[in-house]
């Protein structure tokens, strides 16, 4: 299944916008987490972790899923393919891993920090509000770099598909000249 040019362009715009949004949200979470971890004000800590909860609950997952789905549509609907190039394959699995980590690690960590601070306790562990955004940011920057540089070449499947395509083109040329 190949996307038409307008559909491919629209999908690409959605994917880049969603990816940039995810990166921006992560930077915002990191700034809020750093504020919560370093400030001496209980009011600022509570405001920071509550804002992190809003980001994590309402924005992060929809943007993560939109990034994942638009990237999947682009990979399956264009010649890049999902498993033809190592950089596409790597991006897919990293996006899937970071989406899963958002659901099962980042959000619960933020929620437990909010619960503790709302109960009047100090921030239990700065790592709960810093570790997730740091790991996510590292992954997103890495994915951005490989999207631009497109390293590592073809996968075994990609090489096999390319060779079979070349073979069919050569056979077609031989038929035309015969």
């Amino acid at each position: 299944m190949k996307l038409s040019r307008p559909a491919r362009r629209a999908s690409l715009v959605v994917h880049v916008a969603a990816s940039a949004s995810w990166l921006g949200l992560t930077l915002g979470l990191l700034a809020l987490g750093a504020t919560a971890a370093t400030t001496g004000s209980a009011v600022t800590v509570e405001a920071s972790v509550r804002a992190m909860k809003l980001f994590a609950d309402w924005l992060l997952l929809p943007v993560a899923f939109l990034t994942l789905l638009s990237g999947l549509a682009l990979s399956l609907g264009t010649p890049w393919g999902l498993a033809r190039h190592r950089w596409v394959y790597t991006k897919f699995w990293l996006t899937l891993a970071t989406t899963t980590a958002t659901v099962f690690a980042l959000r619960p960590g933020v929620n437990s920090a909010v619960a503790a601070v709302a109960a009047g306790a100090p921030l239990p562990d700065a790592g709960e509000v810093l570790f997730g955004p740091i790991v996510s940011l590292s992954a997103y920057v890495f994915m951005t770099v490989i999207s631009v540089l497109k390293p590592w070449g073809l996968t075994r499947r990609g090489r096999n598909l390319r060779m079979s395509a070349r073979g069919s083109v050569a056979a077609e040329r031989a038929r035309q000249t015969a």
Side-chain angles (χ1 to χ4, degrees):
M1 175 186 94
K2 296 294 178 210
L3 294 173
S4 67
R5 186 174 182 174
R8 183 184 54 80
R9 285 183 168 188
S11 297
L12 184 59
V13 168
V14 167
H15 184 67
V16 170
S19 299
S21 297
W22 203 4
L23 182 63
L25 282 169
T26 302
L27 283 169
L29 285 170
L30 183 58
L32 289 167
T35 300
T38 59
T39 189
S41 166
V43 173
T44 304
V45 170
E46 184 172 0
S48 295
V49 295
R50 285 186 184 275
M52 288 181 77
K53 182 170 174 42
L54 285 173
F55 278 18
D57 287 349
W58 293 100
L59 297 173
L60 211 52
L61 283 180
V63 167
F65 285 122
L66 185 58
T67 301
L68 183 63
L69 292 175
S70 61
L72 195 57
L74 279 169
S75 67
L76 295 174
T78 64
W80 288 109
L82 180 59
R84 291 181 182 176
H85 299 269
R86 286 188 178 101
W87 71 271
V88 175
Y89 205 54
T90 302
K91 273 188 63 177
F92 170 74
W93 286 109
L94 277 173
T95 302
L96 191 62
T98 52
T99 301
T100 303
T102 296
V103 172
F104 294 111
L106 189 139
R107 288 183 72 219
V110 169
N111 288 339
S112 68
V114 169
V117 170
L123 188 65
D125 180 18
E128 285 186 351
V129 294
L130 288 174
F131 185 69
I134 289 170
V135 170
S136 297
L137 183 62
S138 301
Y140 306 147
V141 168
F142 176 72
M143 286 187 277
T144 301
V145 168
I146 65 174
S147 293
V148 173
L149 299 179
K150 298 173 180 44
W152 309 316
L154 296 170
T155 62
R156 179 178 296 145
R157 181 176 188 274
R159 285 190 303 270
N160 291 340
L161 288 170
R162 184 173 283 174
M163 293 303 286
S164 66
R166 285 182 182 164
S168 64
V169 167
E172 180 63 30
R173 285 185 186 155
R175 266 186 265 139
Q176 287 175 355
T177 58

